[in-house]
Short mmCIF file of all heavy atoms in Angstrom, two decimals:
data_model
loop_
_atom_site.label_atom_id
_atom_site.label_comp_id
_atom_site.label_asym_id
_atom_site.label_seq_id
_atom_site.Cartn_x
_atom_site.Cartn_y
_atom_site.Cartn_z
N ALA A 1 -79.20 51.54 -43.22
CA ALA A 1 -77.74 51.63 -43.13
C ALA A 1 -77.30 51.47 -41.68
O ALA A 1 -76.34 50.75 -41.37
CB ALA A 1 -77.26 52.97 -43.68
N GLU A 2 -78.03 52.12 -40.78
CA GLU A 2 -77.71 52.02 -39.35
C GLU A 2 -78.02 50.62 -38.82
O GLU A 2 -77.25 50.05 -38.04
CB GLU A 2 -78.48 53.07 -38.58
CG GLU A 2 -78.26 53.07 -37.08
CD GLU A 2 -76.86 53.52 -36.67
OE1 GLU A 2 -76.05 53.87 -37.55
OE2 GLU A 2 -76.57 53.51 -35.46
N VAL A 3 -79.15 50.05 -39.24
CA VAL A 3 -79.50 48.71 -38.79
C VAL A 3 -78.46 47.71 -39.28
O VAL A 3 -78.03 46.82 -38.53
CB VAL A 3 -80.90 48.32 -39.30
CG1 VAL A 3 -81.18 46.84 -39.02
CG2 VAL A 3 -81.97 49.18 -38.64
N SER A 4 -78.01 47.85 -40.52
CA SER A 4 -77.00 46.94 -41.05
C SER A 4 -75.70 47.04 -40.27
O SER A 4 -75.04 46.03 -39.99
CB SER A 4 -76.76 47.24 -42.54
OG SER A 4 -75.81 46.35 -43.07
N ARG A 5 -75.33 48.25 -39.90
CA ARG A 5 -74.10 48.43 -39.10
C ARG A 5 -74.23 47.73 -37.75
O ARG A 5 -73.29 47.07 -37.28
CB ARG A 5 -73.84 49.93 -38.88
CG ARG A 5 -72.56 50.23 -38.10
CD ARG A 5 -72.39 51.73 -37.96
NE ARG A 5 -73.35 52.31 -37.05
CZ ARG A 5 -73.16 52.43 -35.74
NH1 ARG A 5 -72.05 52.00 -35.18
NH2 ARG A 5 -74.08 52.98 -34.99
N LEU A 6 -75.39 47.84 -37.13
CA LEU A 6 -75.59 47.21 -35.83
C LEU A 6 -75.67 45.69 -35.95
O LEU A 6 -75.21 44.96 -35.07
CB LEU A 6 -76.85 47.77 -35.17
CG LEU A 6 -76.71 49.21 -34.69
CD1 LEU A 6 -78.07 49.77 -34.29
CD2 LEU A 6 -75.75 49.31 -33.52
N GLU A 7 -76.26 45.21 -37.05
CA GLU A 7 -76.30 43.77 -37.27
C GLU A 7 -74.87 43.23 -37.43
O GLU A 7 -74.53 42.15 -36.91
CB GLU A 7 -77.13 43.43 -38.51
CG GLU A 7 -78.60 43.80 -38.42
CD GLU A 7 -79.40 42.86 -37.51
OE1 GLU A 7 -78.80 41.98 -36.87
OE2 GLU A 7 -80.63 43.01 -37.46
N ALA A 8 -74.03 43.96 -38.15
CA ALA A 8 -72.64 43.54 -38.32
C ALA A 8 -71.90 43.54 -36.98
O ALA A 8 -71.09 42.65 -36.70
CB ALA A 8 -71.94 44.47 -39.31
N ALA A 9 -72.20 44.53 -36.14
CA ALA A 9 -71.58 44.56 -34.82
C ALA A 9 -72.02 43.37 -33.98
O ALA A 9 -71.25 42.84 -33.17
CB ALA A 9 -71.93 45.88 -34.11
N SER A 10 -73.27 42.94 -34.18
CA SER A 10 -73.79 41.81 -33.41
C SER A 10 -73.08 40.50 -33.75
O SER A 10 -73.03 39.59 -32.92
CB SER A 10 -75.30 41.65 -33.64
OG SER A 10 -76.02 42.73 -33.09
N VAL A 11 -72.54 40.40 -34.96
CA VAL A 11 -71.78 39.20 -35.31
C VAL A 11 -70.63 39.02 -34.33
O VAL A 11 -70.44 37.96 -33.73
CB VAL A 11 -71.24 39.28 -36.76
CG1 VAL A 11 -70.35 38.08 -37.06
CG2 VAL A 11 -72.39 39.36 -37.76
N GLY A 12 -69.84 40.09 -34.16
CA GLY A 12 -68.72 40.03 -33.22
C GLY A 12 -69.17 39.80 -31.79
O GLY A 12 -68.49 39.11 -31.02
N ALA A 13 -70.33 40.37 -31.44
CA ALA A 13 -70.84 40.19 -30.07
C ALA A 13 -71.11 38.72 -29.79
O ALA A 13 -70.78 38.20 -28.72
CB ALA A 13 -72.11 41.01 -29.88
N PHE A 14 -71.70 38.02 -30.75
CA PHE A 14 -72.02 36.61 -30.53
C PHE A 14 -70.79 35.71 -30.65
O PHE A 14 -70.72 34.66 -29.99
CB PHE A 14 -73.12 36.16 -31.48
CG PHE A 14 -74.49 36.54 -31.02
CD1 PHE A 14 -75.21 37.52 -31.68
CD2 PHE A 14 -75.05 35.94 -29.90
CE1 PHE A 14 -76.48 37.89 -31.24
CE2 PHE A 14 -76.32 36.30 -29.45
CZ PHE A 14 -77.03 37.27 -30.12
N VAL A 15 -69.83 36.09 -31.48
CA VAL A 15 -68.58 35.33 -31.54
C VAL A 15 -67.89 35.35 -30.19
O VAL A 15 -67.44 34.32 -29.66
CB VAL A 15 -67.65 35.89 -32.64
CG1 VAL A 15 -66.24 35.31 -32.52
CG2 VAL A 15 -68.22 35.59 -34.03
N GLU A 16 -67.81 36.54 -29.59
CA GLU A 16 -67.18 36.65 -28.27
C GLU A 16 -68.02 36.00 -27.19
O GLU A 16 -67.50 35.43 -26.23
CB GLU A 16 -66.92 38.12 -27.93
CG GLU A 16 -66.21 38.34 -26.60
CD GLU A 16 -64.96 37.49 -26.45
OE1 GLU A 16 -64.19 37.39 -27.43
OE2 GLU A 16 -64.77 36.92 -25.35
N LEU A 17 -69.34 36.07 -27.33
CA LEU A 17 -70.22 35.41 -26.36
C LEU A 17 -69.98 33.90 -26.36
O LEU A 17 -69.91 33.28 -25.29
CB LEU A 17 -71.68 35.72 -26.69
CG LEU A 17 -72.73 35.08 -25.76
CD1 LEU A 17 -72.55 35.57 -24.33
CD2 LEU A 17 -74.14 35.39 -26.26
N GLU A 18 -69.86 33.31 -27.54
CA GLU A 18 -69.59 31.88 -27.60
C GLU A 18 -68.28 31.54 -26.89
O GLU A 18 -68.20 30.58 -26.11
CB GLU A 18 -69.53 31.40 -29.05
CG GLU A 18 -69.25 29.90 -29.16
CD GLU A 18 -68.85 29.44 -30.55
OE1 GLU A 18 -68.83 30.27 -31.48
OE2 GLU A 18 -68.53 28.24 -30.70
N ARG A 19 -67.23 32.31 -27.15
CA ARG A 19 -65.94 32.07 -26.51
C ARG A 19 -66.06 32.16 -24.99
O ARG A 19 -65.51 31.33 -24.26
CB ARG A 19 -64.91 33.09 -27.01
CG ARG A 19 -64.51 32.94 -28.46
CD ARG A 19 -63.65 34.10 -28.88
NE ARG A 19 -63.30 34.03 -30.30
CZ ARG A 19 -62.88 35.08 -31.00
NH1 ARG A 19 -62.77 36.28 -30.42
NH2 ARG A 19 -62.57 34.93 -32.29
N ALA A 20 -66.79 33.17 -24.53
CA ALA A 20 -66.92 33.37 -23.08
C ALA A 20 -67.71 32.22 -22.45
O ALA A 20 -67.35 31.73 -21.37
CB ALA A 20 -67.62 34.70 -22.81
N LEU A 21 -68.77 31.80 -23.10
CA LEU A 21 -69.56 30.69 -22.56
C LEU A 21 -68.73 29.42 -22.44
O LEU A 21 -68.82 28.68 -21.45
CB LEU A 21 -70.79 30.45 -23.43
CG LEU A 21 -71.87 31.56 -23.38
CD1 LEU A 21 -72.91 31.34 -24.48
CD2 LEU A 21 -72.53 31.63 -22.02
N ARG A 22 -67.91 29.15 -23.43
CA ARG A 22 -67.04 27.97 -23.35
C ARG A 22 -65.99 28.14 -22.25
O ARG A 22 -65.70 27.20 -21.51
CB ARG A 22 -66.37 27.73 -24.71
CG ARG A 22 -67.35 27.34 -25.81
CD ARG A 22 -66.62 26.96 -27.10
NE ARG A 22 -67.54 26.70 -28.20
CZ ARG A 22 -68.19 25.56 -28.38
NH1 ARG A 22 -68.04 24.56 -27.52
NH2 ARG A 22 -69.01 25.41 -29.42
N ARG A 23 -65.44 29.35 -22.17
CA ARG A 23 -64.38 29.59 -21.17
C ARG A 23 -64.90 29.47 -19.74
O ARG A 23 -64.19 28.99 -18.86
CB ARG A 23 -63.78 30.98 -21.40
CG ARG A 23 -62.53 31.27 -20.59
CD ARG A 23 -61.81 32.51 -21.08
NE ARG A 23 -62.54 33.74 -20.82
CZ ARG A 23 -63.11 34.48 -21.74
NH1 ARG A 23 -63.10 34.12 -23.01
NH2 ARG A 23 -63.74 35.61 -21.42
N PHE A 24 -66.14 29.91 -19.52
CA PHE A 24 -66.70 29.88 -18.17
C PHE A 24 -67.48 28.60 -17.86
O PHE A 24 -68.12 28.51 -16.81
CB PHE A 24 -67.60 31.10 -17.95
CG PHE A 24 -66.86 32.42 -17.94
CD1 PHE A 24 -67.20 33.44 -18.81
CD2 PHE A 24 -65.80 32.62 -17.06
CE1 PHE A 24 -66.53 34.65 -18.79
CE2 PHE A 24 -65.11 33.84 -17.04
CZ PHE A 24 -65.47 34.85 -17.91
N GLY A 25 -67.44 27.64 -18.78
CA GLY A 25 -68.03 26.34 -18.48
C GLY A 25 -69.53 26.26 -18.62
O GLY A 25 -70.18 25.45 -17.94
N ALA A 26 -70.11 27.05 -19.51
CA ALA A 26 -71.56 27.00 -19.73
C ALA A 26 -71.94 25.70 -20.44
O ALA A 26 -71.10 25.08 -21.09
CB ALA A 26 -72.00 28.20 -20.55
N PRO A 27 -73.19 25.28 -20.34
CA PRO A 27 -73.64 24.11 -21.10
C PRO A 27 -73.35 24.28 -22.59
O PRO A 27 -73.47 25.38 -23.15
CB PRO A 27 -75.15 24.08 -20.82
CG PRO A 27 -75.30 24.76 -19.50
CD PRO A 27 -74.26 25.84 -19.50
N ARG A 28 -72.98 23.20 -23.24
CA ARG A 28 -72.59 23.23 -24.64
C ARG A 28 -73.71 23.80 -25.52
O ARG A 28 -73.44 24.50 -26.51
CB ARG A 28 -72.20 21.82 -25.10
CG ARG A 28 -71.67 21.73 -26.53
CD ARG A 28 -71.08 20.35 -26.78
NE ARG A 28 -70.57 20.23 -28.13
CZ ARG A 28 -71.27 19.79 -29.17
NH1 ARG A 28 -72.54 19.40 -28.99
NH2 ARG A 28 -70.73 19.72 -30.38
N ARG A 29 -74.96 23.54 -25.17
CA ARG A 29 -76.08 24.00 -25.98
C ARG A 29 -76.13 25.52 -26.06
O ARG A 29 -76.55 26.09 -27.08
CB ARG A 29 -77.40 23.45 -25.45
CG ARG A 29 -77.75 23.89 -24.04
CD ARG A 29 -79.04 23.29 -23.52
NE ARG A 29 -79.30 23.69 -22.15
CZ ARG A 29 -79.85 24.84 -21.81
NH1 ARG A 29 -80.23 25.68 -22.76
NH2 ARG A 29 -80.06 25.13 -20.54
N LEU A 30 -75.69 26.20 -24.98
CA LEU A 30 -75.70 27.66 -24.98
C LEU A 30 -74.61 28.20 -25.92
O LEU A 30 -74.84 29.16 -26.66
CB LEU A 30 -75.50 28.20 -23.57
CG LEU A 30 -76.61 27.86 -22.55
CD1 LEU A 30 -76.29 28.50 -21.20
CD2 LEU A 30 -77.98 28.33 -23.06
N ALA A 31 -73.43 27.60 -25.86
CA ALA A 31 -72.35 28.04 -26.74
C ALA A 31 -72.71 27.80 -28.21
O ALA A 31 -72.45 28.65 -29.07
CB ALA A 31 -71.06 27.31 -26.38
N LEU A 32 -73.32 26.65 -28.50
CA LEU A 32 -73.72 26.36 -29.87
C LEU A 32 -74.80 27.32 -30.34
O LEU A 32 -74.83 27.73 -31.51
CB LEU A 32 -74.20 24.92 -29.98
CG LEU A 32 -73.13 23.83 -29.83
CD1 LEU A 32 -73.77 22.45 -29.87
CD2 LEU A 32 -72.07 23.97 -30.92
N ALA A 33 -75.70 27.70 -29.44
CA ALA A 33 -76.75 28.67 -29.79
C ALA A 33 -76.15 30.03 -30.11
O ALA A 33 -76.62 30.75 -31.01
CB ALA A 33 -77.76 28.78 -28.65
N ALA A 34 -75.10 30.42 -29.37
CA ALA A 34 -74.42 31.69 -29.64
C ALA A 34 -73.73 31.64 -31.01
O ALA A 34 -73.75 32.62 -31.76
CB ALA A 34 -73.40 31.99 -28.55
N ARG A 35 -73.14 30.48 -31.36
CA ARG A 35 -72.50 30.35 -32.68
C ARG A 35 -73.55 30.48 -33.77
O ARG A 35 -73.32 31.15 -34.78
CB ARG A 35 -71.78 29.01 -32.78
CG ARG A 35 -71.17 28.77 -34.17
CD ARG A 35 -70.55 27.39 -34.28
NE ARG A 35 -69.42 27.24 -33.38
CZ ARG A 35 -68.67 26.13 -33.33
NH1 ARG A 35 -68.96 25.09 -34.11
NH2 ARG A 35 -67.65 26.05 -32.48
N ARG A 36 -74.69 29.83 -33.59
CA ARG A 36 -75.76 29.93 -34.58
C ARG A 36 -76.24 31.36 -34.71
O ARG A 36 -76.53 31.84 -35.82
CB ARG A 36 -76.92 29.01 -34.19
CG ARG A 36 -78.09 29.06 -35.16
CD ARG A 36 -79.27 28.22 -34.69
NE ARG A 36 -80.39 28.29 -35.62
CZ ARG A 36 -81.56 27.72 -35.43
NH1 ARG A 36 -81.79 27.00 -34.34
NH2 ARG A 36 -82.53 27.85 -36.32
N ALA A 37 -76.31 32.08 -33.57
CA ALA A 37 -76.76 33.47 -33.60
C ALA A 37 -75.80 34.34 -34.41
O ALA A 37 -76.24 35.25 -35.13
CB ALA A 37 -76.89 34.00 -32.17
N ALA A 38 -74.49 34.08 -34.31
CA ALA A 38 -73.52 34.84 -35.11
C ALA A 38 -73.78 34.63 -36.60
O ALA A 38 -73.72 35.58 -37.40
CB ALA A 38 -72.09 34.41 -34.75
N ASP A 39 -74.10 33.38 -36.99
CA ASP A 39 -74.43 33.12 -38.39
C ASP A 39 -75.71 33.85 -38.79
O ASP A 39 -75.81 34.38 -39.91
CB ASP A 39 -74.61 31.61 -38.61
CG ASP A 39 -73.30 30.84 -38.50
OD1 ASP A 39 -72.23 31.46 -38.71
OD2 ASP A 39 -73.34 29.63 -38.20
#
């Protein structure tokens, strides 16, 4: 139950990570990897 809650929290973490990587001009491959991680 606790692991599932943390996994769900990680979805939002990677969604925001992708946004930040794009905003700060990171290589596209890193942003796409963050999107895949959210999935």
Side-chain angles (χ1 to χ4, degrees):
E2 179 69 1
V3 171
S4 181
R5 182 179 72 89
L6 289 169
E7 297 286 6
S10 292
V11 175
F14 279 109
V15 168
E16 182 50 43
L17 179 61
E18 180 194 357
R19 292 173 183 161
L21 290 170
R22 294 187 185 279
R23 190 167 69 250
F24 293 124
R28 184 170 180 268
R29 62 182 177 82
L30 296 181
L32 290 176
R35 176 184 296 183
R36 179 184 179 184
D39 291 336

